[in-house]
Amino acid sequence: MKNKTLLSILSIALIMTLSGNALAAKKTKKAAKTTPTAPLMNDYPTRDRVEYVLNCIAQKDGNLSKMNYVTQYACGCKIDKIAEKLSFADFEAAKTFGYLSKQAGDAGGVFRDPSQAKDLKTRMKEAEEYAQHSCFVK
C-alpha cells in the first residue's frame, strides 16, 4: 500500500512539473518573440524540478505522506522562480558547493573559500528569497 501511495505522489508531482514546464515553455516562446535576448528560463531538467519539489514538500510537510495541494503549488512555484534567476548550470553548481562546503576542515574549505563558491551562494540565497516572497512559501 505504501508503494502505491508513493507512486501516486510521484505521479502527481511529475504531472504538475510537466504541466508547469509546458506553461513556462509557452511563456518563454512568447517572451522570445518580443525580446530576442530573453534568457532561457526553462533549462532545468524535469527530473531535477521533481526532485526539488519533492524535497521541498518533505521539508514543509514533514514527509510526503502528509503532502497537500498548497505545499505542492508553493514548492512548484518556488523552483520556477529560482529558474527565473539562475541558469540550471549555476543552480547545480550552487547546490554542489552547498553540499560539499559542509565538510569539516580543509576538505570543505576547498568548496567554501573560492570566490566562485561565495558568489554562487549569494546568488542562490537571493533567488530563494525572491522565490519565497513570490510564492508565499512559509
Side-chain angles (χ1 to χ4, degrees):
M1 186 68 180
K2 287 183 181 183
N3 288 338
K4 193 173 188 179
T5 303
L6 182 58
L7 183 60
S8 297
I9 291 169
L10 292 174
S11 298
I12 291 168
L14 181 60
I15 289 168
M16 288 177 56
T17 302
L18 290 174
S19 63
N21 284 346
L23 183 58
K26 193 174 188 180
K27 287 180 182 178
T28 302
K29 285 180 186 176
K30 188 175 181 180
K33 289 179 186 175
T34 58
T35 57
T37 59
L40 180 63
M41 295 186 313
N42 195 27
D43 65 341
Y44 284 51
T46 302
R47 176 188 48 82
D48 291 280
R49 286 182 183 263
V50 170
E51 178 185 353
Y52 185 91
V53 169
L54 292 175
N55 285 333
C56 177
I57 290 168
Q59 288 174 354
K60 302 299 177 205
D61 288 339
N63 64 42
L64 292 176
S65 66
K66 296 180 183 178
M67 174 175 54
N68 64 58
Y69 177 77
V70 174
T71 307
Q72 286 176 340
Y73 179 82
C75 291
C77 174
K78 190 173 177 184
I79 190 62
D80 291 341
K81 295 298 179 182
I82 290 171
E84 289 177 13
K85 297 291 183 183
L86 292 174
S87 69
F88 179 69
D90 288 345
F91 172 78
E92 191 172 45
K95 221 170 58 166
T96 302
F97 276 118
Y99 290 144
L100 297 175
S101 68
K102 294 175 186 174
Q103 292 181 351
D106 291 338
V110 173
F111 300 101
R112 277 190 302 273
D113 299 336
S115 60
Q116 178 189 11
K118 293 174 182 177
D119 177 55
L120 284 171
K121 182 179 177 181
T122 301
R123 291 178 57 214
M124 179 68 142
K125 184 177 178 181
E126 289 170 354
E128 287 178 333
E129 287 173 0
Y130 168 73
Q132 283 182 295
H133 294 299
S134 299
C135 300
F136 307 104
V137 178
K138 295 181 182 180

